Amino acid sequence: MPIYRAPVRDTAFVIRDVLNYQRLDNIAGFADLSPDVLEAILDEGAKLAENVMQPLNRAGDMEGCVRHEDGSVSTPKGFAEAYRQYCEGGWMGLSSPAEYGGQGLPYLVHTAVGEFLSSANMALMMYPGLTQGAIAAILTHGTDEQKQTFLPKMVEGGWTGTMNLTEPHCGTDLGLLRTKAVPNGDGSYKISGQKIFISAGEHDMAENIIHLVLARIEGAPEGTKGISLFIVPKLKLDKAGNLGGPNGVSCGSIEEKMGIHGNATCVMNYDEAEGFLLGAENGGLKAMFTMMNEARLGVALQGLAVSEAAYQNAADYARERLQGRSLSGPKAPDKKADPIIVHPDIRRNLMTIRAFNEAGRAALLWIALQSDIANRSEDEKARQEAEDHLALMTPVLKGVLTDKGFEHAVMAQQVFGGHGYIEEHGMSQFVRDARIAMIYEGANGIQALDLVGRKLAQNGGRAVQTFFKTVGDFCEEHRSDEKMAPYTKALKKGLSDLQAATLWLMQNAMQKPDNAGAASYDYMHLFGLVAFGFMWARMVKVAQDSLAQGAGGGAGFMERKLTLGRFFMERAMPETSAHLVRISSGADTVMALPAEAF
């Protein structure tokens, strides 16, 4: 049976020692987050993940969700009770504003605990995960009345939320959507249409579900300019905000999926359902992107979370499975064979996964911290820089971590050999669950295009130049430090490749847009390698300083950081050169074949 242990120590190391979160005690939420409080939150989150969520993961995958004749949906056995414990523990409102019942703690902490819970049970955690995005959209774009009506119940977890974008004929190109909204004359609208792939669209875990639905008001302009966003509750509310009768919202079916079987991914039918405009008329995409950007970081976290869970199971198996002898001589002479952990190829798999996991975790926590600064700091310059990092890195983290999450799940499965292909070991579920994260909330090819086509040029390239300076300044600051040389030299080479790729795009993409399209995917992964290398260099510097000061009993932990960081710089960072070569080759061969030749 699969196991999971939350990486509490590693997470605390990043938050406390690498990011030095206590320097921000002048920002709302940070003053209340003492090291003791942080440790307690991480410990309790780990217990919830390990003891409540993880035991339901494989059973939920096997049982799945069931739609009944009346359109209601039952989640797998134990899911509703686990969700109740999640809500009673105050986890839904961990970083939500206190005025709506939340605890107001940093989003940084929410992200840290979110990794634990998603590693333990990705499908179950999608129910509150979608709610978090809906909360963000209403908080940012809702009227005072809408906030007071919906947010307290959503923050406490009594009501959950969804996002409804995709239609049968319309995925990424939302300008084609057909769902319509007809004004009722009293401020409400009749919403009619069909949405597909709606995660957590119907279930038995909350008393109401608040759907955020993209639709076109009658007479609105064609394309994306005429899209509006609406709040459409499953159950209507009376004027006092109390639950009333059913709305014209129903689950037509549950999608039969490759993975995340424990999450009800629904076809949702809207038949003149009562809805309320969220944000400005025809401003639906702007409002929805608030939710989507939060969701994209949540999906990036899922990629990391599945990779971590798969790694832990593979590492455990590799320590126990006896097969063959070490190439350098027996390591367990008292046994008939050595554990497979002695074999270089097994170690290559495990070291690769772990090195990316630890860098990815640090990068996600760094960007979560930027979100806190962007949304809570009173320093305008600090907010702007944080917003730049957040906008730039969101598509990078979503694309790279989910690509790597699937790749690593497969690598971990490979460690098991034939047993990895057998369901009882649970590795198949990690592979199947990880696959969706590369697709939803904008397929990774779209993330790459967003990065190259929008984020690089935004504000005159300010964000990417800030990133280049941040990484370059770090390398320069430690240029004379011999102990840091193996890390900073590799990082500086990767940064040089990234800058060269950026310059090539500036010179070749404007006159020939296909060059940007052909280069975008490699550029995204090149950017990710440099970002992860930067995080490794930062972690290594902290570890070296700690060792120089005696490490306080944590010498083994710090030494492992140096080894993993060295592995990343030697085995992963050189790939930046290959990405640069592919980027610089342009689009000619990519676009050369006529369509009928495929």
Side-chain angles (χ1 to χ4, degrees):
M1 291 291 289
I3 56 93
Y4 174 67
R5 297 175 294 271
V8 172
R9 186 176 186 183
D10 192 65
T11 302
F13 166 74
V14 173
I15 295 175
R16 183 187 60 239
D17 302 329
V18 179
L19 299 180
N20 188 21
Y21 81 97
Q22 288 180 277
R23 64 189 166 84
L24 300 173
D25 60 3
N26 62 325
I27 296 178
F30 283 84
D32 299 325
L33 190 65
S34 68
D36 288 344
V37 170
L38 173 64
E39 184 177 343
I41 292 172
L42 295 179
D43 285 342
E44 289 303 311
K47 290 176 185 176
L48 182 66
E50 296 168 2
N51 301 329
V52 178
M53 302 297 181
Q54 194 274 337
L56 298 172
N57 193 39
R58 184 162 181 267
D61 178 63
M62 296 170 66
E63 181 181 342
C65 298
V66 178
R67 179 189 178 277
H68 305 288
E69 289 187 7
D70 63 356
S72 64
V73 170
S74 296
T75 52
K77 183 179 179 181
F79 271 40
E81 172 59 23
Y83 176 73
R84 183 187 65 79
Q85 291 186 50
Y86 173 87
C87 294
E88 288 180 351
W91 298 104
M92 182 73 85
L94 194 64
S95 62
S96 297
E99 62 186 299
Y100 301 113
Q103 299 175 51
L105 289 169
Y107 179 68
L108 172 67
V109 182
H110 168 83
T111 301
V113 175
E115 185 206 329
F116 302 168
L117 297 170
S118 289
S119 283
N121 197 322
M122 176 175 160
L124 196 160
M125 288 310 300
M126 287 174 65
Y127 294 92
L130 270 295
T131 307
Q132 293 289 347
I135 288 172
I138 295 173
L139 189 62
T140 304
H141 302 284
T143 65
D144 289 341
E145 181 180 0
Q146 287 171 338
K147 293 175 187 178
Q148 293 297 334
T149 298
F150 296 104
L151 290 182
K153 285 288 188 180
M154 297 174 77
V155 167
E156 74 175 20
W159 297 355
T160 59
T162 71
M163 57 191 300
N164 287 237
L165 290 77
T166 308
E167 299 182 6
H169 62 285
C170 163
T172 301
D173 190 353
L174 291 171
L176 299 176
L177 72 78
R178 297 172 183 162
T179 300
K180 65 179 182 179
V182 179
N184 286 324
D186 60 358
S188 67
Y189 293 77
K190 292 177 182 176
I191 310 297
S192 299
Q194 185 180 78
K195 300 288 184 177
I196 62 171
F197 305 157
I198 308 306
S199 302
E202 172 60 29
H203 56 82
D204 57 0
M205 293 163 57
E207 60 181 357
N208 204 6
I209 303 173
I210 311 304
H211 301 287
L212 298 192
V213 184
L214 285 181
R216 195 184 308 279
I217 298 173
E218 280 190 326
E222 292 297 315
T224 57
K225 293 181 179 179
I227 296 175
S228 299
L229 183 62
F230 297 88
I231 300 174
V232 186
K234 171 185 171 181
L235 299 178
K236 293 182 179 181
L237 309 178
D238 63 21
K239 291 183 179 180
N242 300 312
L243 295 180
N247 206 349
V249 182
S250 62
C251 169
S253 63
I254 297 177
E255 306 283 6
E256 295 187 18
K257 309 185 298 294
M258 176 179 174
I260 53 168
H261 295 151
N263 191 268
T265 306
C266 301
V267 174
M268 299 300 298
N269 296 320
Y270 293 87
D271 184 12
E272 296 191 345
E274 183 179 68
F276 304 91
L277 185 66
L278 177 61
E281 185 175 318
N282 300 331
L285 281 191
K286 179 181 178 182
M288 182 58 82
F289 267 111
T290 298
M291 187 174 188
M292 287 186 69
N293 284 333
E294 176 138 342
R296 284 172 174 171
L297 288 174
V299 174
L301 185 145
Q302 288 180 337
L304 167 65
V306 175
S307 180
E308 176 65 27
Y311 164 79
Q312 290 188 16
N313 283 274
D316 268 21
Y317 185 81
R319 284 190 291 264
E320 297 169 1
R321 173 70 169 174
L322 301 179
Q323 196 88 147
R325 286 297 186 188
S326 167
L327 297 175
S328 58
K331 296 296 183 287
D334 57 324
K335 298 177 181 178
K336 293 184 178 180
D338 288 331
I340 62 173
I341 193 74
V342 305
H343 301 308
D345 192 59
I346 296 294
R347 285 175 168 256
R348 175 188 62 82
N349 281 336
L350 296 176
M351 289 284 283
T352 298
I353 302 171
R354 182 165 173 179
F356 270 96
N357 285 355
E358 295 197 13
R361 177 176 301 116
L364 266 174
L365 293 172
W366 175 52
I367 291 305
L369 184 65
Q370 301 309 306
S371 178
D372 283 319
I373 295 171
N375 291 305
R376 303 184 185 207
S377 176
E378 295 181 2
D379 183 329
E380 186 175 348
K381 182 180 179 183
R383 279 202 315 273
Q384 182 188 91
E385 184 172 318
E387 286 170 358
D388 285 346
H389 282 311
L390 183 60
L392 182 68
M393 291 302 299
T394 294
V396 174
L397 292 178
K398 194 281 183 185
V400 174
L401 283 176
T402 59
D403 275 356
K404 291 298 181 183
F406 178 72
E407 179 184 328
H408 294 162
V410 173
M411 291 173 73
Q413 185 185 40
Q414 187 75 11
V415 171
F416 279 73
H419 293 290
Y421 204 64
I422 305 301
E423 287 293 336
E424 69 179 274
H425 289 278
M427 301 309 289
S428 166
Q429 183 186 352
F430 295 134
V431 172
R432 290 184 284 103
D433 285 356
R435 187 63 185 87
I436 185 57
M438 301 163 70
I439 300 173
Y440 61 12
E441 301 306 338
N444 287 352
I446 299 298
Q447 303 302 319
L449 285 173
D450 178 46
L451 174 64
V452 169
R454 293 180 66 245
K455 300 300 171 61
L456 290 187
Q458 212 164 50
N459 300 309
R462 187 180 67 205
V464 72
Q465 292 302 324
T466 298
F467 178 80
F468 290 165
K469 186 177 187 305
T470 299
V471 178
D473 286 353
F474 181 91
C475 292
E476 183 62 25
E477 181 183 350
H478 302 290
R479 182 165 58 91
S480 59
D481 186 339
E482 291 185 7
K483 289 184 178 180
M484 285 295 293
Y487 308 96
T488 53
K489 285 182 179 178
L491 177 58
K492 192 169 184 179
K493 174 60 169 64
L495 177 61
S496 176
D497 287 341
L498 180 59
Q499 290 171 320
T502 307
L503 180 61
W504 188 92
L505 284 169
M506 290 172 60
Q507 294 172 340
N508 294 276
M510 289 296 290
Q511 66 271 30
K512 190 174 181 180
D514 280 342
N515 279 333
S520 61
Y521 203 79
D522 276 287
Y523 186 85
M524 178 180 71
H525 277 275
L526 170 51
F527 211 118
L529 283 168
V530 175
F532 290 0
F534 176 50
M535 299 315 299
W536 262 122
R538 293 179 65 180
M539 288 190 284
V540 162
K541 178 56 181 170
V542 172
Q544 287 181 347
D545 289 348
S546 177
L547 287 167
Q549 296 166 13
F557 177 86
M558 297 302 173
E559 290 286 358
R560 287 192 289 275
K561 293 295 179 192
L562 303 188
T563 301
L564 285 162
R566 187 77 173 255
F567 176 90
F568 187 90
M569 294 303 182
E570 291 177 357
R571 306 282 298 206
M573 283 298 287
E575 294 175 14
T576 61
S577 296
H579 288 302
L580 176 59
V581 170
R582 287 196 288 266
I583 290 167
S584 304
S585 71
D588 289 348
T589 53
V590 174
M591 304 305 293
L593 286 179
E596 59 271 17
F598 283 87

